[in-house]
Coordinates of all heavy atoms in Angstrom, one line a residue:
M28 N 0.8 -1.2 0.0 CA 0.0 0.0 0.0 C 0.9 1.2 0.0 O 1.9 1.3 0.7 CB -0.9 0.0 1.2 CG -1.7 1.3 1.2 SD -3.0 1.7 2.3 CE -3.3 0.6 3.5
F29 N 0.5 2.2 -0.7 CA 1.2 3.5 -0.8 C 0.5 4.5 0.1 O -0.7 4.5 0.3 CB 1.1 4.1 -2.2 CG 1.9 3.3 -3.2 CD1 1.2 2.3 -4.0 CD2 3.2 3.5 -3.4 CE1 1.9 1.5 -4.9 CE2 3.9 2.7 -4.4 CZ 3.3 1.7 -5.1
S30 N 1.3 5.3 0.8 CA 0.7 6.4 1.6 C 0.6 7.7 0.8 O 1.5 7.9 0.0 CB 1.4 6.5 2.9 OG 2.8 6.9 2.7
A31 N -0.3 8.5 1.2 CA -0.5 9.8 0.5 C 0.6 10.8 0.9 O 0.9 10.9 2.0 CB -1.9 10.4 0.8
R32 N 1.1 11.5 -0.1 CA 2.1 12.6 0.2 C 1.5 13.8 -0.6 O 1.7 13.9 -1.8 CB 3.4 12.2 -0.3 CG 4.1 11.0 0.4 CD 5.4 10.7 -0.1 NE 5.3 10.4 -1.5 CZ 6.0 9.4 -2.1 NH1 6.8 8.7 -1.5 NH2 5.9 9.2 -3.4
H33 N 0.9 14.7 0.2 CA 0.4 15.9 -0.4 C 1.5 17.0 -0.5 O 2.1 17.4 0.5 CB -0.8 16.5 0.4 CG -2.0 15.6 0.3 ND1 -2.2 14.6 1.2 CD2 -3.0 15.6 -0.5 CE1 -3.4 14.0 0.9 NE2 -3.9 14.6 -0.1
R34 N 1.8 17.3 -1.7 CA 2.9 18.4 -2.0 C 2.2 19.5 -2.7 O 1.7 19.3 -3.8 CB 4.0 17.8 -2.8 CG 4.6 16.6 -2.3 CD 5.7 16.9 -1.2 NE 6.6 15.8 -0.9 CZ 6.4 14.9 0.0 NH1 5.2 14.8 0.6 NH2 7.3 14.0 0.2
P35 N 2.2 20.7 -2.1 CA 1.5 21.9 -2.8 C 2.1 22.1 -4.2 O 1.3 22.4 -5.1 CB 1.9 23.0 -1.9 CG 2.1 22.4 -0.5 CD 2.7 21.1 -0.8
W36 N 3.4 22.0 -4.5 CA 3.9 22.2 -5.8 C 3.4 21.2 -6.8 O 3.2 21.5 -7.9 CB 5.4 22.3 -5.8 CG 6.1 21.0 -5.3 CD1 6.5 20.6 -4.1 CD2 6.4 19.9 -6.2 NE1 7.0 19.4 -4.1 CE2 7.0 18.9 -5.4 CE3 6.3 19.6 -7.5 CZ2 7.5 17.7 -5.8 CZ3 6.7 18.4 -8.0 CH2 7.3 17.4 -7.2
A37 N 3.3 19.9 -6.3 CA 2.9 18.8 -7.2 C 1.4 19.0 -7.5 O 0.9 18.8 -8.6 CB 3.1 17.5 -6.5
Q38 N 0.6 19.4 -6.5 CA -0.8 19.7 -6.7 C -1.0 20.8 -7.7 O -1.9 20.8 -8.6 CB -1.5 19.9 -5.4 CG -1.6 18.7 -4.6 CD -2.4 18.9 -3.3 OE1 -3.1 19.9 -3.1 NE2 -2.3 17.9 -2.4
A39 N -0.2 21.9 -7.6 CA -0.4 23.0 -8.5 C 0.0 22.6 -10.0 O -0.7 22.9 -10.9 CB 0.5 24.2 -8.1
L40 N 1.1 21.8 -10.1 CA 1.5 21.3 -11.4 C 0.4 20.4 -12.0 O 0.1 20.5 -13.2 CB 2.8 20.6 -11.3 CG 3.5 20.2 -12.5 CD1 3.9 21.4 -13.4 CD2 4.8 19.4 -12.2
F41 N -0.1 19.5 -11.2 CA -1.1 18.6 -11.7 C -2.4 19.3 -12.1 O -3.0 19.0 -13.0 CB -1.4 17.5 -10.6 CG -2.4 16.5 -11.1 CD1 -2.0 15.5 -12.1 CD2 -3.7 16.4 -10.7 CE1 -2.9 14.6 -12.6 CE2 -4.6 15.5 -11.2 CZ -4.2 14.6 -12.1
S42 N -2.7 20.3 -11.3 CA -3.9 21.1 -11.6 C -3.8 21.8 -13.0 O -4.7 21.8 -13.8 CB -4.1 22.2 -10.5 OG -5.4 22.8 -10.7
L43 N -2.6 22.3 -13.3 CA -2.4 22.9 -14.6 C -2.5 21.9 -15.7 O -3.1 22.1 -16.8 CB -1.0 23.5 -14.7 CG -0.8 24.8 -14.0 CD1 0.7 25.3 -14.0 CD2 -1.6 25.9 -14.6
Y44 N -1.9 20.7 -15.5 CA -2.0 19.6 -16.4 C -3.5 19.2 -16.6 O -3.9 19.0 -17.8 CB -1.2 18.4 -16.0 CG -1.4 17.1 -16.7 CD1 -1.0 17.0 -18.0 CD2 -2.1 16.1 -16.1 CE1 -1.2 15.8 -18.7 CE2 -2.4 14.9 -16.8 CZ -1.9 14.8 -18.1 OH -2.2 13.6 -18.8
L45 N -4.2 19.0 -15.5 CA -5.6 18.6 -15.6 C -6.5 19.6 -16.3 O -7.3 19.2 -17.1 CB -6.1 18.3 -14.2 CG -7.6 17.8 -14.1 CD1 -7.8 16.6 -14.9 CD2 -8.0 17.6 -12.7
T46 N -6.2 20.9 -16.1 CA -7.0 21.9 -16.7 C -6.9 21.8 -18.3 O -7.9 21.8 -19.0 CB -6.6 23.3 -16.3 OG1 -6.8 23.4 -14.9 CG2 -7.4 24.4 -17.0
G47 N -5.7 21.6 -18.7 CA -5.5 21.4 -20.2 C -6.1 20.1 -20.7 O -6.7 20.1 -21.8
L48 N -6.0 19.1 -19.9 CA -6.5 17.8 -20.3 C -8.0 17.9 -20.4 O -8.6 17.4 -21.4 CB -6.1 16.7 -19.3 CG -6.3 15.3 -19.6 CD1 -5.5 14.9 -20.8 CD2 -6.0 14.4 -18.4
L49 N -8.7 18.5 -19.5 CA -10.1 18.6 -19.5 C -10.6 19.5 -20.7 O -11.6 19.2 -21.3 CB -10.7 19.1 -18.2 CG -10.6 18.1 -17.0 CD1 -11.0 18.9 -15.7 CD2 -11.5 16.9 -17.2
R50 N -9.9 20.6 -20.9 CA -10.3 21.5 -22.0 C -10.1 20.8 -23.4 O -10.8 21.0 -24.3 CB -9.4 22.7 -22.0 CG -9.9 23.7 -20.9 CD -9.1 25.0 -20.9 NE -9.6 25.8 -19.9 CZ -8.9 26.9 -19.4 NH1 -7.7 27.2 -19.9 NH2 -9.4 27.6 -18.5
R51 N -9.1 19.9 -23.4 CA -8.8 19.2 -24.7 C -9.9 18.1 -25.0 O -10.2 17.9 -26.2 CB -7.4 18.6 -24.7 CG -6.9 18.2 -26.0 CD -5.4 17.9 -26.0 NE -4.9 17.2 -24.9 CZ -4.1 17.7 -23.9 NH1 -3.8 19.0 -23.9 NH2 -3.7 17.0 -22.9
H52 N -10.4 17.5 -24.0 CA -11.3 16.4 -24.2 C -12.8 16.7 -23.9 O -13.6 15.9 -24.3 CB -10.9 15.2 -23.3 CG -9.6 14.6 -23.7 ND1 -9.5 13.7 -24.8 CD2 -8.3 14.8 -23.3 CE1 -8.3 13.3 -24.9 NE2 -7.5 14.0 -24.1
F53 N -13.1 17.8 -23.3 CA -14.5 18.1 -22.9 C -14.8 19.6 -23.3 O -13.9 20.4 -23.0 CB -14.8 17.8 -21.5 CG -14.6 16.4 -21.1 CD1 -13.4 15.9 -20.6 CD2 -15.7 15.5 -21.3 CE1 -13.3 14.6 -20.3 CE2 -15.5 14.2 -20.9 CZ -14.3 13.7 -20.5
H54 N -16.0 19.8 -23.8 CA -16.4 21.2 -24.1 C -16.6 22.0 -22.8 O -16.2 23.1 -22.7 CB -17.6 21.2 -25.0 CG -18.1 22.5 -25.3 ND1 -19.1 23.2 -24.7 CD2 -17.7 23.4 -26.3 CE1 -19.3 24.4 -25.2 NE2 -18.4 24.5 -26.2
T55 N -17.3 21.4 -21.9 CA -17.7 22.1 -20.6 C -17.9 21.0 -19.5 O -18.1 19.9 -19.8 CB -19.0 22.9 -20.8 OG1 -19.2 23.7 -19.6 CG2 -20.2 22.1 -21.0
L56 N -17.8 21.5 -18.3 CA -18.0 20.7 -17.1 C -19.1 21.4 -16.3 O -18.9 22.5 -15.9 CB -16.7 20.6 -16.3 CG -16.8 19.7 -15.0 CD1 -17.2 18.3 -15.3 CD2 -15.5 19.8 -14.3
R57 N -20.3 20.7 -16.2 CA -21.4 21.3 -15.6 C -21.9 20.5 -14.4 O -21.8 19.3 -14.4 CB -22.6 21.4 -16.5 CG -22.3 22.4 -17.7 CD -23.5 22.5 -18.6 NE -23.1 23.3 -19.7 CZ -23.8 23.4 -20.8 NH1 -25.0 22.8 -20.9 NH2 -23.5 24.2 -21.8
L58 N -22.3 21.2 -13.4 CA -22.9 20.5 -12.2 C -24.4 20.9 -12.2 O -24.8 22.0 -12.2 CB -22.2 21.1 -10.9 CG -22.7 20.5 -9.6 CD1 -22.4 19.0 -9.5 CD2 -22.1 21.2 -8.5
L59 N -25.2 19.8 -12.2 CA -26.6 20.0 -12.2 C -27.1 20.1 -10.8 O -26.7 19.4 -9.9 CB -27.3 18.8 -12.9 CG -26.9 18.6 -14.4 CD1 -27.6 17.4 -14.9 CD2 -27.3 19.8 -15.2
G60 N -28.0 21.0 -10.6 CA -28.6 21.2 -9.2 C -27.7 22.1 -8.4 O -26.8 22.8 -8.9
E61 N -28.0 22.1 -7.1 CA -27.3 23.0 -6.2 C -25.9 22.4 -5.9 O -25.7 21.1 -5.8 CB -28.0 23.1 -4.8 CG -29.3 23.9 -5.0 CD -29.1 25.3 -5.3 OE1 -28.2 25.9 -4.8 OE2 -29.8 25.8 -6.2
P62 N -24.9 23.2 -5.7 CA -23.5 22.7 -5.4 C -23.6 22.0 -4.0 O -24.4 22.5 -3.1 CB -22.6 23.9 -5.4 CG -23.4 25.0 -6.0 CD -24.8 24.6 -6.0
P63 N -22.8 21.0 -3.8 CA -22.8 20.4 -2.4 C -22.3 21.3 -1.4 O -21.4 22.1 -1.7 CB -21.9 19.2 -2.6 CG -21.1 19.5 -3.8 CD -21.9 20.4 -4.7
S64 N -22.8 21.3 -0.2 CA -22.3 22.1 0.9 C -22.2 21.3 2.2 O -23.0 21.5 3.1 CB -23.2 23.4 1.1 OG -24.5 23.0 1.3
P65 N -21.3 20.4 2.2 CA -21.1 19.5 3.4 C -20.5 20.3 4.5 O -19.8 21.3 4.3 CB -20.2 18.4 2.9 CG -19.4 19.0 1.8 CD -20.4 20.0 1.1
P66 N -20.8 19.9 5.8 CA -20.2 20.6 6.9 C -18.7 20.6 6.8 O -18.1 19.5 6.5 CB -20.7 19.8 8.1 CG -21.9 19.1 7.6 CD -21.7 18.9 6.2
P67 N -18.0 21.7 7.0 CA -16.5 21.8 6.7 C -15.7 20.9 7.7 O -14.6 20.4 7.3 CB -16.2 23.2 6.9 CG -17.3 23.9 7.5 CD -18.5 23.0 7.3
G68 N -16.2 20.7 8.9 CA -15.4 19.9 9.9 C -15.5 18.4 9.8 O -14.8 17.7 10.4
L69 N -16.4 17.9 9.0 CA -16.6 16.5 8.9 C -16.0 15.9 7.7 O -15.9 16.5 6.6 CB -18.2 16.2 8.9 CG -19.0 16.6 10.1 CD1 -20.4 16.4 9.9 CD2 -18.5 15.9 11.3
P70 N -15.6 14.6 7.7 CA -15.1 14.0 6.6 C -16.1 13.8 5.5 O -17.3 13.7 5.8 CB -14.6 12.6 7.1 CG -15.0 12.5 8.5 CD -15.6 13.8 8.9
L71 N -15.7 13.7 4.2 CA -16.6 13.6 3.1 C -16.1 12.4 2.2 O -15.0 12.4 1.8 CB -16.6 14.9 2.3 CG -17.5 15.0 1.1 CD1 -18.9 14.8 1.4 CD2 -17.2 16.3 0.4
L72 N -17.0 11.5 1.9 CA -16.7 10.4 1.0 C -17.6 10.5 -0.2 O -18.8 10.6 -0.1 CB -17.0 9.1 1.7 CG -16.7 7.8 1.0 CD1 -15.2 7.7 0.7 CD2 -17.1 6.6 1.8
I73 N -16.9 10.6 -1.4 CA -17.7 10.7 -2.7 C -17.4 9.5 -3.5 O -16.2 9.1 -3.7 CB -17.2 12.0 -3.5 CG1 -17.5 13.2 -2.6 CG2 -18.0 12.0 -4.8 CD1 -16.9 14.5 -3.3
L74 N -18.4 8.8 -3.9 CA -18.3 7.5 -4.6 C -19.0 7.6 -5.9 O -20.2 7.7 -6.0 CB -18.9 6.4 -3.8 CG -18.3 6.2 -2.4 CD1 -19.2 5.2 -1.6 CD2 -16.9 5.7 -2.5
P75 N -18.2 7.6 -7.0 CA -18.9 7.6 -8.4 C -19.6 6.2 -8.5 O -19.3 5.2 -7.9 CB -17.7 7.7 -9.3 CG -16.5 8.2 -8.5 CD -16.8 7.7 -7.1
N76 N -20.6 6.2 -9.4 CA -21.4 5.0 -9.6 C -20.8 4.0 -10.6 O -21.4 3.0 -10.9 CB -22.8 5.4 -10.0 CG -22.9 6.1 -11.3 OD1 -21.9 6.4 -11.9 ND2 -24.1 6.4 -11.7
H77 N -19.7 4.3 -11.2 CA -18.9 3.4 -12.0 C -17.5 3.8 -12.0 O -17.1 4.9 -11.4 CB -19.5 3.4 -13.5 CG -19.4 4.8 -14.1 ND1 -18.2 5.3 -14.6 CD2 -20.3 5.8 -14.2 CE1 -18.5 6.5 -15.1 NE2 -19.7 6.8 -14.9
G78 N -16.6 3.0 -12.5 CA -15.2 3.3 -12.4 C -14.5 3.5 -13.7 O -14.6 2.6 -14.5
N79 N -14.0 4.6 -13.9 CA -13.1 4.9 -15.0 C -12.1 6.0 -14.5 O -12.3 6.6 -13.5 CB -13.8 5.3 -16.3 CG -14.5 6.6 -16.3 OD1 -13.9 7.6 -15.9 ND2 -15.7 6.6 -16.7
W80 N -11.1 6.2 -15.3 CA -10.1 7.1 -14.8 C -10.5 8.6 -14.8 O -9.9 9.4 -14.1 CB -8.7 6.9 -15.5 CG -8.7 7.3 -16.9 CD1 -9.2 6.8 -18.0 CD2 -8.0 8.5 -17.3 NE1 -8.9 7.5 -19.1 CE2 -8.2 8.5 -18.7 CE3 -7.2 9.4 -16.7 CZ2 -7.6 9.5 -19.5 CZ3 -6.6 10.4 -17.5 CH2 -6.9 10.5 -18.9
W81 N -11.5 8.9 -15.6 CA -12.0 10.3 -15.6 C -12.7 10.7 -14.3 O -12.7 11.8 -13.9 CB -13.0 10.5 -16.8 CG -12.3 10.6 -18.1 CD1 -12.3 9.7 -19.1 CD2 -11.5 11.7 -18.6 NE1 -11.6 10.2 -20.2 CE2 -11.1 11.4 -19.9 CE3 -11.0 12.9 -18.0 CZ2 -10.2 12.2 -20.6 CZ3 -10.2 13.7 -18.8 CH2 -9.8 13.4 -20.0
D82 N -13.3 9.7 -13.6 CA -14.0 10.0 -12.4 C -13.2 10.7 -11.3 O -13.6 11.7 -10.8 CB -14.6 8.7 -11.7 CG -15.7 8.1 -12.6 OD1 -16.2 8.8 -13.5 OD2 -16.1 7.0 -12.3
G83 N -12.0 10.2 -11.1 CA -11.1 10.8 -10.1 C -10.7 12.2 -10.6 O -10.6 13.1 -9.7
L84 N -10.5 12.4 -11.9 CA -10.1 13.7 -12.4 C -11.2 14.7 -12.2 O -11.0 15.9 -11.9 CB -9.6 13.6 -13.8 CG -8.4 12.7 -14.0 CD1 -8.0 12.6 -15.5 CD2 -7.2 13.1 -13.1
F85 N -12.5 14.3 -12.5 CA -13.6 15.1 -12.3 C -13.8 15.5 -10.8 O -14.1 16.6 -10.4 CB -14.9 14.5 -12.8 CG -15.0 14.4 -14.3 CD1 -15.6 13.3 -14.8 CD2 -14.6 15.4 -15.1 CE1 -15.7 13.2 -16.2 CE2 -14.7 15.3 -16.5 CZ -15.2 14.2 -17.0
L86 N -13.6 14.5 -9.9 CA -13.6 14.8 -8.5 C -12.5 15.8 -8.0 O -12.8 16.7 -7.2 CB -13.6 13.5 -7.7 CG -14.7 12.6 -7.8 CD1 -14.5 11.3 -7.0 CD2 -16.0 13.3 -7.4
W87 N -11.4 15.7 -8.6 CA -10.3 16.6 -8.4 C -10.7 18.0 -8.7 O -10.6 19.0 -7.9 CB -9.0 16.2 -9.2 CG -7.9 17.2 -9.1 CD1 -7.8 18.4 -9.7 CD2 -6.7 17.1 -8.3 NE1 -6.6 19.0 -9.4 CE2 -5.9 18.2 -8.6 CE3 -6.2 16.1 -7.5 CZ2 -4.7 18.4 -8.0 CZ3 -5.0 16.3 -6.9 CH2 -4.2 17.4 -7.2
E88 N -11.3 18.2 -9.9 CA -11.8 19.5 -10.3 C -12.9 20.0 -9.5 O -13.0 21.2 -9.1 CB -12.2 19.4 -11.8 CG -12.4 20.8 -12.5 CD -11.1 21.6 -12.5 OE1 -10.0 21.2 -12.3 OE2 -11.3 22.8 -12.8
L89 N -13.9 19.2 -9.1 CA -15.0 19.5 -8.3 C -14.4 20.0 -6.9 O -14.9 21.1 -6.4 CB -15.9 18.3 -8.0 CG -17.0 18.5 -7.0 CD1 -18.1 19.5 -7.6 CD2 -17.6 17.2 -6.6
N90 N -13.5 19.3 -6.4 CA -12.9 19.7 -5.1 C -12.2 21.0 -5.2 O -12.3 21.9 -4.4 CB -12.0 18.6 -4.6 CG -11.4 18.9 -3.2 OD1 -12.2 19.1 -2.3 ND2 -10.1 19.1 -3.1
R91 N -11.4 21.2 -6.3 CA -10.7 22.5 -6.5 C -11.6 23.7 -6.6 O -11.4 24.7 -6.0 CB -9.8 22.4 -7.8 CG -8.9 23.5 -7.9 CD -8.1 23.4 -9.2 NE -8.9 23.6 -10.4 CZ -9.3 24.8 -10.9 NH1 -9.0 25.9 -10.2 NH2 -10.0 24.9 -11.9
R92 N -12.7 23.5 -7.4 CA -13.6 24.6 -7.6 C -14.6 24.9 -6.5 O -14.9 26.0 -6.3 CB -14.4 24.4 -8.9 CG -13.6 24.4 -10.2 CD -14.5 24.3 -11.3 NE -13.8 24.2 -12.6 CZ -14.3 24.3 -13.8 NH1 -15.6 24.5 -13.9 NH2 -13.6 24.2 -14.8
L93 N -15.1 23.8 -5.8 CA -16.2 24.0 -4.9 C -15.9 23.7 -3.4 O -16.3 24.4 -2.5 CB -17.4 23.2 -5.3 CG -18.0 23.6 -6.7 CD1 -19.1 22.6 -7.0 CD2 -18.5 25.0 -6.6
L94 N -15.2 22.6 -3.2 CA -15.1 22.1 -1.8 C -13.8 22.6 -1.1 O -13.9 22.9 0.1 CB -15.1 20.6 -1.9 CG -16.4 20.0 -2.5 CD1 -16.2 18.5 -2.6 CD2 -17.6 20.4 -1.7
G95 N -12.7 22.6 -1.8 CA -11.5 23.1 -1.1 C -11.0 22.2 0.0 O -10.4 22.7 1.0
R96 N -11.1 20.9 -0.1 CA -10.7 20.0 0.9 C -9.4 19.2 0.5 O -9.1 19.2 -0.7 CB -11.8 19.0 1.2 CG -13.1 19.6 1.7 CD -13.8 18.6 2.4 NE -15.0 19.2 3.0 CZ -15.8 18.6 3.8 NH1 -15.5 17.4 4.2 NH2 -16.8 19.2 4.3
R97 N -8.8 18.6 1.5 CA -7.7 17.7 1.2 C -8.3 16.5 0.6 O -9.1 15.8 1.1 CB -6.9 17.4 2.4 CG -5.8 16.4 2.2 CD -4.9 16.3 3.3 NE -3.7 17.2 3.1 CZ -2.6 17.2 3.8 NH1 -2.5 16.4 4.8 NH2 -1.7 18.0 3.4
L98 N -7.8 16.2 -0.6 CA -8.4 15.1 -1.4 C -7.6 13.8 -1.4 O -6.3 13.9 -1.6 CB -8.6 15.6 -2.9 CG -9.3 14.7 -3.8 CD1 -10.8 14.4 -3.5 CD2 -9.2 15.2 -5.2
H99 N -8.2 12.7 -1.3 CA -7.6 11.4 -1.4 C -8.4 10.6 -2.4 O -9.6 10.6 -2.4 CB -7.6 10.6 -0.1 CG -6.8 11.3 1.0 ND1 -5.5 11.0 1.3 CD2 -7.2 12.3 1.9 CE1 -5.1 11.8 2.3 NE2 -6.1 12.5 2.7
M100 N -7.7 10.0 -3.4 CA -8.4 9.1 -4.4 C -7.8 7.7 -4.2 O -6.6 7.5 -4.1 CB -8.1 9.6 -5.8 CG -8.8 10.9 -6.1 SD -8.6 11.4 -7.8 CE -7.3 12.5 -7.7
M101 N -8.7 6.8 -4.2 CA -8.3 5.4 -4.2 C -8.0 4.9 -5.6 O -8.8 5.1 -6.5 CB -9.5 4.5 -3.6 CG -9.6 4.9 -2.1 SD -11.0 4.1 -1.3 CE -10.8 2.4 -1.8
V102 N -6.9 4.2 -5.7 CA -6.4 3.7 -7.0 C -5.9 2.3 -6.7 O -5.3 2.1 -5.7 CB -5.3 4.6 -7.6 CG1 -4.8 4.1 -8.9 CG2 -5.8 6.1 -7.7
L103 N -6.1 1.4 -7.7 CA -5.5 0.1 -7.5 C -4.0 0.2 -7.5 O -3.3 0.9 -8.3 CB -5.9 -0.8 -8.7 CG -7.4 -1.1 -8.8 CD1 -7.7 -1.9 -10.1 CD2 -7.8 -1.9 -7.6
E104 N -3.4 -0.6 -6.6 CA -1.9 -0.5 -6.4 C -1.2 -0.9 -7.6 O -0.1 -0.3 -7.9 CB -1.5 -1.4 -5.2 CG -0.1 -1.2 -4.8 CD 0.2 -2.0 -3.5 OE1 -0.7 -2.6 -2.9 OE2 1.4 -1.9 -3.1
E105 N -1.7 -1.9 -8.4 CA -0.9 -2.3 -9.6 C -1.0 -1.1 -10.6 O 0.0 -1.0 -11.4 CB -1.5 -3.6 -10.2 CG -2.9 -3.5 -10.6 CD -3.8 -4.2 -9.6 OE1 -3.5 -4.4 -8.4 OE2 -4.9 -4.6 -10.0
H106 N -2.0 -0.3 -10.6 CA -2.0 0.8 -11.6 C -1.0 1.9 -11.2 O -0.4 2.5 -12.0 CB -3.4 1.4 -11.7 CG -4.4 0.5 -12.4 ND1 -5.7 0.9 -12.6 CD2 -4.3 -0.7 -12.9 CE1 -6.3 -0.1 -13.2 NE2 -5.4 -1.1 -13.4
V107 N -0.9 2.1 -9.8 CA 0.1 3.1 -9.4 C 1.5 2.6 -9.7 O 2.4 3.4 -10.1 CB -0.1 3.3 -7.8 CG1 1.1 4.2 -7.3 CG2 -1.4 3.9 -7.5
A108 N 1.7 1.3 -9.5 CA 3.1 0.8 -9.9 C 3.4 0.9 -11.4 O 4.5 1.1 -11.8 CB 3.2 -0.7 -9.4
R109 N 2.3 0.7 -12.2 CA 2.5 0.8 -13.6 C 2.6 2.2 -14.2 O 3.4 2.5 -15.0 CB 1.3 0.1 -14.3 CG 1.4 -0.1 -15.7 CD 0.3 -0.9 -16.3 NE 0.2 -0.8 -17.7 CZ -0.8 -1.1 -18.4 NH1 -1.9 -1.5 -17.8 NH2 -0.8 -1.0 -19.7
F110 N 1.8 3.1 -13.6 CA 1.8 4.5 -14.1 C 2.3 5.4 -12.9 O 1.5 5.9 -12.1 CB 0.4 5.0 -14.5 CG -0.2 4.1 -15.6 CD1 -1.2 3.2 -15.2 CD2 0.3 4.1 -16.9 CE1 -1.7 2.3 -16.2 CE2 -0.3 3.3 -17.8 CZ -1.3 2.4 -17.5
R111 N 3.5 5.6 -12.7 CA 4.1 6.2 -11.5 C 4.0 7.7 -11.5 O 4.6 8.4 -10.7 CB 5.6 5.8 -11.4 CG 5.6 4.4 -11.1 CD 6.4 3.8 -10.1 NE 7.0 3.8 -8.9 CZ 6.4 3.7 -7.8 NH1 5.1 3.8 -7.6 NH2 7.1 3.6 -6.7
F112 N 3.1 8.4 -12.3 CA 3.0 9.8 -12.2 C 2.4 10.2 -10.9 O 2.5 11.2 -10.4 CB 2.3 10.4 -13.4 CG 0.8 10.0 -13.5 CD1 -0.1 10.7 -12.8 CD2 0.5 8.9 -14.2 CE1 -1.5 10.4 -12.9 CE2 -0.9 8.5 -14.2 CZ -1.8 9.2 -13.6

């Protein structure tokens, strides 16, 4: 198992990369309904209803734009070993 290492410089760099990636592959990103407003002091678990690699990237962007929380994404260990970015 890998432990999370949050690095502000890595998050800023990844955010720039992700912004370009989303703009290249999607016309717009829209949230239907009211934005979530969970209590700030409580943990928050968001579970997509299916699994693909875009889900985690959309959650990253949702968190960046609306929630502003420390984000952890679950990834299969063999995928982390294979794609070490």
Side-chain angles (χ1 to χ4, degrees):
M28 178 175 0
F29 294 92
S30 60
R32 293 181 303 221
H33 290 92
R34 304 279 196 274
W36 64 268
Q38 291 183 12
L40 188 63
F41 184 72
S42 189
L43 286 173
Y44 168 73
L45 179 58
T46 299
L48 192 65
L49 289 173
R50 284 184 180 161
R51 197 167 40 252
H52 291 280
F53 297 93
H54 179 265
T55 187
L56 180 60
R57 295 182 184 168
L58 181 65
L59 300 177
E61 292 296 315
S64 56
L69 297 176
L71 177 64
L72 182 63
I73 302 174
L74 301 169
N76 62 356
H77 57 81
N79 68 49
W80 73 285
W81 284 110
D82 290 347
L84 301 179
F85 289 140
L86 292 178
W87 174 284
E88 192 63 14
L89 174 74
N90 185 59
R91 187 184 70 79
R92 290 185 187 193
L93 298 176
L94 302 173
R96 298 207 177 185
R97 177 170 261 192
L98 182 67
H99 297 267
M100 286 186 266
M101 292 175 50
V102 179
L103 293 174
E104 189 171 1
E105 61 258 21
H106 290 183
V107 173
R109 187 171 165 202
F110 306 104
R111 293 226 38 67
F112 65 89

